[in-house]
Amino acid sequence: MTNGAATTAGLDARLEQYRVELTGYCYRMLGSSFEAEDAVQDTMIRAWRSFDKFEGRSSLRSWLYRIATNVCLDMLTAGNKRARPMDLTESTPLARAALSPRPDNTWLEPMPDSRVLPTPADPAEAAVAKESVRLAFMAALQQLPAKQRAVLILREVLAWKAAEVAELLGTSVASVNSALQRARATLAERQQPGAGAAVSDPLDEEQKKLLDRYVAAFEGYDMSALTALLHEDAIMTMPPFDLWLTGADDITGFMTTLGAPCAGSRLVPVQVNGMPGFAQYKPDPEAGGFTPWAVQVLEISDGRITGFHCFLDTQRWFPLFGLPLRLEAESDQVEQGA
């Protein structure tokens, strides 16, 4: 390997070690899985091209965050705020339920934990990181102006000092502290549905049992068993549709009417947005086996499921999670094994 090639490979490795945490930062800023990955790629390219101008007055990490912040702020100039269905419409009674899709750029998007959560040695740091990518917190961030969003993430989530944030943003410490105060006040005013969701890390025994019961109820399409697991104010959402439902009766009523083709589905566990989740495959009546239908994110509080969020754009989500686009029926797997 020539010196030039060795230098290039060394720089690539130095930049690459920050990819996961930068993706987490850009995801919190943008609310989009794919835009976050695009932003990080743009950050890496800009850093690589201008590395000879990096004078080492700050750490490489700080320099990369400055570039990533500028990329995100540029992407946010259009003013688009990604949302959840309950941020846009009122809850719809089952009797008036209609599936009305909105464009992809409307929605807050799910993200695999592995792409945004580094593995810190400190369990407390890991818990904070998971809380900071939960859907309710992500939706709250979207309510903030872009620079307040950056200040809140850098100060509250990443624990940067006010002086470090001020240097990164090219502003004063007083301005950073003021932006942080305003951001905190906005979040306090706008309590998000799902904000009280709480899971242990790792899951405790009761939570594991709850999820086991959920899988059994859902795969068996047992609405009585499912009702017993849902909080009385549980919410169900299904982006890209703006419909959202509240309460076990409407949720299970929907599942046995408009959602009836999901009977007989299979669930595969995934780690998503710091919460337990599942990839749902529903039966394929034409080809046999199972076809992708949704990435489900579950919110849990006090031993019940409080949120049941189904992201339906499976051609995008399943590859992002490294999931197959088909499951064979168990009988087919047995025959192939034989």
Side-chain angles (χ1 to χ4, degrees), residues 64-104:
L64 288 171
Y65 270 91
R66 181 179 296 114
I67 298 171
T69 300
N70 289 332
V71 170
C72 289
L73 292 177
D74 287 346
M75 294 174 74
L76 288 167
T77 51
N80 180 47
K81 295 181 179 179
R82 289 178 176 265
R84 300 186 295 172
M86 51 277 213
D87 304 322
L88 302 177
T89 65
E90 294 297 319
S91 177
T92 307
L94 179 61
R96 298 206 314 270
L99 298 177
S100 305
R102 296 201 188 192
D104 288 342

Side-chain angles (χ1 to χ4, degrees), residues 155 160-167 172-173 176-177:
R155 291 282 284 120
W160 285 39
K161 295 176 182 175
E164 294 172 326
V165 178
E167 183 181 354
S172 67
V173 169
V176 166
N177 288 336

Side-chain angles (χ1 to χ4, degrees), residues 94 221-228 230 236 245-260 308:
L94 179 61
Y221 232 58
D222 183 338
M223 295 301 115
S224 295
L226 187 60
T227 296
L230 295 175
M236 179 180 183
L245 302 165
T246 305
D249 288 346
D250 277 4
I251 291 172
T252 56
F254 177 89
M255 291 176 66
T256 53
T257 53
L258 291 174
F308 173 46

Side-chain angles (χ1 to χ4, degrees), residues 9 17 24 28 52 146 203 211-212 234 254 258 265 280-281 310:
Q17 67 179 315
R28 295 178 186 100
D52 57 342
L203 297 177
L211 293 178
D212 287 344
F254 177 89
L258 291 174
S265 289
Q280 178 192 344
Y281 292 82
C310 303

Side-chain angles (χ1 to χ4, degrees), residues 80-287:
N80 180 47
K81 295 181 179 179
R82 289 178 176 265
R84 300 186 295 172
M86 51 277 213
D87 304 322
L88 302 177
T89 65
E90 294 297 319
S91 177
T92 307
L94 179 61
R96 298 206 314 270
L99 298 177
S100 305
R102 296 201 188 192
D104 288 342
N105 65 1
T106 306
W107 302 116
L108 182 64
E109 297 178 347
M111 182 64 115
D113 287 0
S114 60
R115 288 183 179 258
V116 292
L117 297 177
T119 311
D122 183 354
E125 283 183 30
V128 169
K130 283 194 170 187
E131 288 171 8
S132 71
V133 293
R134 289 183 183 164
L135 294 174
F137 184 74
M138 291 287 298
L141 286 175
Q142 298 296 300
Q143 305 298 319
L144 301 175
K147 287 197 174 178
Q148 285 185 30
R149 204 179 303 179
V151 168
L152 185 84
I153 296 165
L154 291 165
R155 291 282 284 120
E156 301 274 275
V157 177
L158 300 176
W160 285 39
K161 295 176 182 175
E164 294 172 326
V165 178
E167 183 181 354
L168 182 146
L169 294 175
T171 188
S172 67
V173 169
S175 177
V176 166
N177 288 336
S178 175
L180 181 59
Q181 274 189 317
R182 293 196 304 273
R184 285 172 172 166
T186 300
L187 296 192
E189 287 169 8
R190 303 183 185 182
Q191 186 74 1
Q192 291 285 324
V199 293
S200 303
D201 185 24
L203 297 177
D204 63 32
E205 286 305 311
E206 289 304 311
Q207 290 163 350
K208 289 177 183 176
K209 288 176 184 176
L210 176 65
L211 293 178
D212 287 344
R213 291 167 63 198
Y214 170 76
V215 171
F218 194 96
E219 290 189 342
Y221 232 58
D222 183 338
M223 295 301 115
S224 295
L226 187 60
T227 296
L229 305 180
L230 295 175
H231 190 276
E232 61 182 9
D233 296 323
I235 289 171
M236 179 180 183
T237 68
M238 292 162 284
F241 302 117
D242 59 14
L243 170 74
W244 62 286
L245 302 165
T246 305
D249 288 346
D250 277 4
I251 291 172
T252 56
F254 177 89
M255 291 176 66
T256 53
T257 53
L258 291 174
C262 290
S265 289
R266 294 291 175 265
L267 299 181
V268 176
V270 293
Q271 296 299 314
V272 51
N273 286 88
M275 301 292 283
F278 297 93
Q280 178 192 344
Y281 292 82
K282 73 173 185 176
D284 185 339
E286 295 181 2

